[in-house]
Amino acid sequence: MRDTGGLYIHIPFCKVKCPYCDFFTAVDQEHLVEQLVDAVVLEVARSDADAFPYAINTVFIGGGTPSLLEPRHIERMLLAVGDKYDLSAVSEFTLEANPGEITGAQMVALRELGINRLSMGFQSLDPGLLKFLGRLHSPDDALRAFAAARKAGFDNINVDMIYNVPDQPMEVWQRDLQRLVDLAPEHISAYSLTVESGTELAQMVQAGVVAMPDVELDRKMLLWTRGFLGASGYSAYEVSNHARPGLQCQHNLHYWRIEPYLGFGPSAHQFNGRERSWNIRHLPGYIENLERGESVVAGSELLSQSQVYHEKLIFGLRLSEGVSITEALGFSGSAEFVAHYGPVLQKWEGRVEIDGDRLLLTDSGVLLADAIATDLMVSLPGHVQTQDAMPTAKA
Ligand code: SF4
């Protein structure tokens, strides 16, 4: 059986730019929708299907706000993808949608196209917090969109929520999550708000206009969220992601397990198991290059074995399944691993554990996932053979 991989299409359009967002987006450029769709179709048609010898089992249309496109646009891109790639193994087919920016009729049409999972950006059910987050929808819009998605036949829905928002008391987060659990989506992504450089939020924090919550409250919210969602039937299979049994997002698992994926659209990344490349983060530039028959790849890097180990460690530790000591990290077994990492494991005693071949974080370790991964990584290169460290970068 062939290894599996995912396929991603990036649709950058958004009605407004949320102050915390650092995704590549295009605001007020919906007049370019037809051209973007033409360009994605061209990019897919010109791609080298033979260079991706994996069975595609997930498709994810993300953004941006893909629900701003009409279903006929989605259909055109999917026909192009289907002409080039074998989609017969696809079992999970996700599209991202914002409440208030998708109609019931659109949802029915998307369902008919084979999209079987909807990812909805609620972010909050509190009107004041939605305003702070720059969202255009109201709590009622979110609830209405959810009901419409169920009516359209979506039985696999993710809802994105954000905590650690300035002036968000613990009780408001608890109330919002309770309301969400009452709706019973299949998957809940609960992200801690982070200040990404270059965003409006970063400027506001820097200028002292906004103060981020205390780190202790952030940790308290994370622990409470894991406990509450766990008790409500959603297990935390990744630090920020919770799912009913068997309904984990298979597409995102490709990213977190450092498995291959294709990517189309401006800013999209591709990874073939060894080399990662990424497209131009500029909408007119992306379109024009494709119209001129030129490449839209902005850069690429060939991952060394050492980099692959690093990435598998960083992302794998965030998964409840942990990371394989032999397959992912290249040790002969847990004895060699323990011998190599003795002092680091001692330092993080009680926060990491070894279960057979898997290295895992405990509940208290989850709070310090990044620090632990960094510590382990520092020690990793001494062990790893770097036969092929040849990063490349295009202009
Ligand atoms: S709607 Fe989503 S992608 Fe668009 S700006 Fe807001 S957070 Fe970013």
Side-chain angles (χ1 to χ4, degrees), residues 97-381:
N98 278 345
E101 296 173 24
I102 184 166
T103 64
Q106 252 178 301
M107 292 188 204
V108 170
L110 292 170
R111 191 73 195 86
E112 281 167 3
L113 288 178
I115 292 162
N116 61 14
R117 185 174 184 271
L118 215 53
S119 180
M120 309 186 88
F122 280 21
Q123 316 310 352
S124 175
L125 288 169
D126 180 87
L129 292 177
L130 283 173
K131 198 165 169 215
F132 175 83
L133 293 168
R135 310 299 298 210
L136 295 175
H137 66 270
S138 67
D140 281 349
D141 288 334
L143 301 180
R144 270 195 294 270
F146 190 89
R150 285 288 193 233
K151 201 167 163 209
F154 283 100
D155 57 7
N156 191 359
I157 300 178
N158 167 59
V159 173
D160 284 344
M161 296 289 283
I162 300 181
Y163 64 90
N164 193 41
V165 182
D167 296 326
Q168 177 191 36
M170 181 70 154
E171 304 74 51
V172 169
W173 174 240
Q174 291 173 329
R175 183 202 63 197
D176 280 0
L177 263 204
Q178 180 62 65
R179 286 179 78 189
L180 184 57
V181 164
D182 291 345
L183 278 184
E186 284 64 38
H187 189 288
I188 297 174
S189 298
Y191 297 107
S192 169
L193 181 64
T194 51
V195 183
E196 304 293 344
S197 67
T199 61
E200 195 189 332
L201 179 62
Q203 286 170 11
M204 291 192 290
V205 170
Q206 217 169 14
V209 180
V210 163
M212 288 301 289
D214 185 71
V215 70
E216 279 313 312
L217 179 60
D218 184 22
R219 289 179 178 171
K220 230 170 105 181
M221 284 178 155
L222 170 63
L223 282 184
W224 179 83
T225 302
R226 289 169 71 82
F228 173 71
L229 290 181
S232 306
Y234 297 87
S235 73
Y237 69 101
E238 196 269 349
V239 171
S240 308
N241 286 274
H242 312 258
R244 296 251 186 233
L247 291 164
Q248 295 88 349
C249 178
Q250 298 304 312
H251 187 81
N252 282 337
L253 279 169
H254 282 313
Y255 297 142
W256 298 326
R257 289 172 177 156
I258 319 300
E259 292 171 350
Y261 50 87
L262 287 163
F264 300 103
S267 84
H269 283 54
Q270 305 86 32
F271 179 56
N272 65 8
R274 291 291 305 283
E275 185 178 25
R276 182 175 295 129
S277 60
W278 49 92
N279 284 352
I280 297 169
R281 273 174 78 98
H282 188 266
L283 181 56
Y286 171 83
I287 292 170
E288 282 160 24
N289 276 24
L290 279 155
E291 286 173 349
R292 286 198 295 257
E294 293 172 9
S295 168
V296 288
V297 175
S300 66
E301 59 178 344
L302 192 61
L303 296 193
S304 65
Q305 185 60 61
S306 163
Q307 283 171 296
V308 172
Y309 287 145
H310 282 189
E311 294 197 0
K312 287 192 172 181
L313 181 65
I314 293 171
F315 289 96
L317 273 186
R318 294 178 61 88
L319 294 170
S320 63
E321 68 186 21
V323 58
S324 162
I325 288 167
T326 53
E327 183 272 322
L329 301 182
F331 287 86
S332 60
S334 53
E336 190 198 357
F337 181 82
V338 171
H340 182 79
Y341 274 118
V344 184
L345 293 174
Q346 252 172 16
K347 175 180 170 186
W348 295 112
E349 198 179 350
R351 298 196 189 262
V352 290
E353 62 186 21
I354 294 170
D355 181 6
D357 177 47
R358 315 292 299 185
L359 176 70
L360 309 159
L361 293 182
T362 62
D363 270 355
S364 63
V366 165
L367 293 172
L368 298 162
D370 293 342
I372 295 170
T374 305
D375 251 12
L376 289 164
M377 247 168 54
V378 167
S379 310
L380 203 48

